[in-house]
Amino acid sequence: MKHMTADTMKKTIAILAAAASLFATACDKSEILAPTDQRHIYISYPEEGNQVFNFSFVSTPEESALIAVPIKFAGRPLTEDLAYAVKVYPGNKDTALEEGEEYEFPELIFHQKNGFEETIYITIHKTARMETGTYNLKFSLVSNENFFATRTGSLEAELRVTAQISQPSWWSQTVSDIYLGPYGDEKFKLFAQNIFNGDFGTLDDDEKRYYALKFKYWLEENPHYDNNVLITVTIQG
């Protein structure tokens, strides 16, 4: 076998070096671009880590309502509207919401105009059994041809729905003494339906005072009774 000349060896080394450079560049591009060609979908919980969405028909006079579950995705921006997918867990028939009669999912479409954010508006319908219990719906995002559902801990949600009136945990002795007065089912129903239907306990003092006074003025204009006793609040102003 003949030995390579110096010029031939230099040309061979140059070719190998160029090939290696192209290979490395291709690898780098693959590592950088591949993830952006994918879209990873997940639920954006209003309270970080809390997968439960509570709703009570006590807060509305309507027979149907919407529960909003916000979702997002990371990855390549949309160039068109794309479908995503969910999986509903069957649950116990005695405690799970019934499809059709008690809940309905919307068309599962991530709209391009909404950027990286979308909302699942699940319709829930009030039924007689909700007057005496709480019923749930568990579901999760799942992968399809458009989105990967791989973010563990950010894929599942549980709706808990009731029409049962009971004293909420936030209606403490302090709330009774300073703001709303003693708890009563009728008072709570009026407050939730006409003034504020969120977690009163998470509000700051100024917000609590604002809603308590708003309720006071509303009751003065719209007197209501509970067991023949006029409903009033504690706050002054």
Side-chain angles (χ1 to χ4, degrees):
M1 182 181 295
K2 295 182 179 179
H3 294 290
M4 290 185 181
T5 65
D7 288 343
T8 302
M9 186 175 292
K10 287 179 180 178
K11 289 179 181 179
T12 302
I13 292 173
I15 292 172
L16 290 173
S21 176
L22 287 173
F23 178 78
T25 301
C27 288
D28 289 343
K29 286 185 177 179
S30 174
E31 290 171 2
I32 295 172
L33 297 179
T36 64
D37 288 336
Q38 302 174 359
R39 300 183 179 98
H40 294 264
I41 196 169
Y42 59 96
I43 297 175
S44 177
Y45 302 111
E47 296 180 34
E48 186 175 354
N50 185 3
Q51 301 179 349
V52 177
F53 293 76
N54 291 296
F55 181 82
S56 174
F57 276 102
V58 173
S59 65
T60 175
E62 304 298 328
E63 296 296 307
S64 295
L66 296 176
I67 296 181
V69 179
I71 61 175
K72 295 181 179 181
F73 79 88
R76 181 160 51 93
L78 297 181
T79 56
E80 60 182 327
D81 295 349
L82 292 176
Y84 60 93
V86 302
K87 173 185 177 182
V88 175
Y89 298 103
N92 186 314
K93 67 177 182 179
D94 294 327
T95 57
L97 292 172
E98 295 184 11
E99 183 178 8
E101 183 179 359
E102 295 179 323
Y103 81 87
E104 299 171 60
F105 270 94
E107 185 178 15
L108 303 178
I109 298 294
F110 216 117
H111 296 93
Q112 179 189 2
K113 66 181 181 180
N114 293 334
F116 293 89
E117 301 180 355
E118 188 61 74
T119 303
I120 310 175
Y121 288 105
I122 303 168
T123 303
I124 52 172
H125 305 292
K126 183 180 179 181
T127 58
R129 67 174 184 160
M130 293 178 184
E131 298 281 356
T132 57
T134 299
Y135 299 87
N136 63 4
L137 168 66
K138 294 182 179 181
F139 70 92
S140 67
L141 297 172
V142 293
S143 299
N144 67 356
E145 66 274 16
N146 300 318
F147 298 94
F148 289 95
T150 57
R151 186 173 291 192
T152 303
S154 298
L155 301 176
E156 298 183 343
E158 178 182 354
L159 311 187
R160 294 179 184 172
V161 181
T162 187
Q164 189 174 20
I165 299 178
S166 61
Q167 183 170 349
S169 58
W170 56 257
W171 200 308
S172 62
Q173 189 61 48
T174 300
V175 169
S176 295
D177 292 343
I178 300 177
Y179 299 105
L180 301 179
Y183 172 82
D185 288 346
E186 184 64 17
K187 181 189 285 189
F188 173 47
K189 183 177 179 179
L190 292 172
F191 182 71
Q193 291 184 355
N194 298 285
I195 306 300
F196 181 76
N197 64 5
D199 187 341
F200 190 80
T202 63
L203 303 178
D204 63 34
D205 290 345
D206 288 340
E207 291 171 324
K208 288 176 181 176
R209 178 175 173 79
Y210 169 78
Y211 286 114
L213 284 172
K214 187 175 181 180
F215 191 32
K216 177 180 184 292
Y217 303 147
W218 185 88
L219 286 170
E220 289 174 352
E221 295 180 2
N222 305 274
H224 279 72
Y225 294 81
D226 190 0
N227 294 323
N228 296 318
V229 177
L230 182 66
I231 296 175
T232 61
V233 295
T234 306
I235 195 163
Q236 299 297 312

